[in-house]
Amino acid sequence: RLAQRHLDDGTVDINNLLDESVAELGTAVAELRQLAHGIRPSSLDDGLPAAVARLVRGAPVMVDLDVDSDELPDDIATTAYFVISESVANAVKHADASRISLRVHRRDGQVLVRVSDDGRGGAVLRSESGLADRVAALGGHVDVVSPAGQGTVVEAVMPCVS
């Protein structure tokens, strides 16, 4: 607002003011992302299978669900939910997919989350991905396989011994 009020009178260094504003906005966005990163969706109160079913209920593409009913520790369930949410959103928004397959299985002390689509492929997991950071914080890893024209597979593996 300060820049708007003084745009024409020359009493304020507008370029410097805009640079400062952009820096402050960047900091605010980073803080909001960090805050949102820790928020657990209330839909998980009924367990991961129910939360995932609710998440994909209104999807504009066919979604095949195969989610183990085993109860997972809260941090694993929350992370799995975010992997699924982001992967499904990307498939719907960017991949032009007509079908999504979603699997969550627990075996050999690990939880495997696999989301695949039949879309256009070409997806890349960015090095600064919050999703990869979230999974890595639990000792897991995320892989994305997405050859052009052949769909995308997002796979997250997290240790889960309890």
Side-chain angles (χ1 to χ4, degrees):
R1 296 288 178 215
L2 182 62
Q4 285 177 326
R5 284 193 299 270
H6 296 286
L7 190 59
D8 294 325
D9 67 14
T11 60
V12 173
D13 180 357
I14 299 297
N15 287 330
N16 187 45
L17 181 61
L18 290 174
D19 286 342
E20 289 175 9
S21 297
V22 167
E24 288 178 22
L25 283 172
T27 299
V29 167
E31 289 173 358
L32 283 173
R33 283 188 178 136
Q34 190 173 26
L35 177 64
H37 180 79
I39 295 176
R40 177 188 177 277
S42 63
S43 62
L44 285 169
D45 291 347
D46 297 324
L48 184 62
V52 170
R54 265 188 237 115
L55 175 72
V56 301
R57 187 175 298 138
V61 300
M62 178 66 92
V63 179
D64 300 316
L65 293 178
D66 182 10
V67 180
D68 282 352
S69 60
D70 296 347
E71 188 170 326
L72 297 172
D74 201 49
D75 56 346
I76 300 289
T78 301
T79 300
Y81 180 87
F82 282 118
V83 168
I84 293 164
S85 177
E86 186 170 324
S87 299
V88 168
N90 286 340
V92 168
K93 187 175 180 181
H94 303 294
D96 197 26
S98 63
R99 186 174 214 103
I100 298 169
S101 176
L102 195 154
R103 294 181 58 208
V104 179
H105 290 274
R106 185 176 183 172
R107 66 174 183 258
D108 302 326
Q110 296 182 321
V111 171
L112 169 71
V113 178
R114 186 175 196 271
V115 181
S116 59
D117 67 64
D118 64 355
R120 67 180 63 154
V124 176
L125 182 65
R126 296 185 324 262
S127 60
E128 70 276 0
S129 166
L131 187 63
D133 290 345
R134 183 185 287 271
V135 173
L138 296 176
H141 65 276
V142 178
D143 294 309
V144 175
V145 177
S146 188
Q150 298 181 34
T152 298
V153 176
V154 176
E155 195 168 89
V157 179
M158 297 168 280
C160 182
V161 292
S162 62

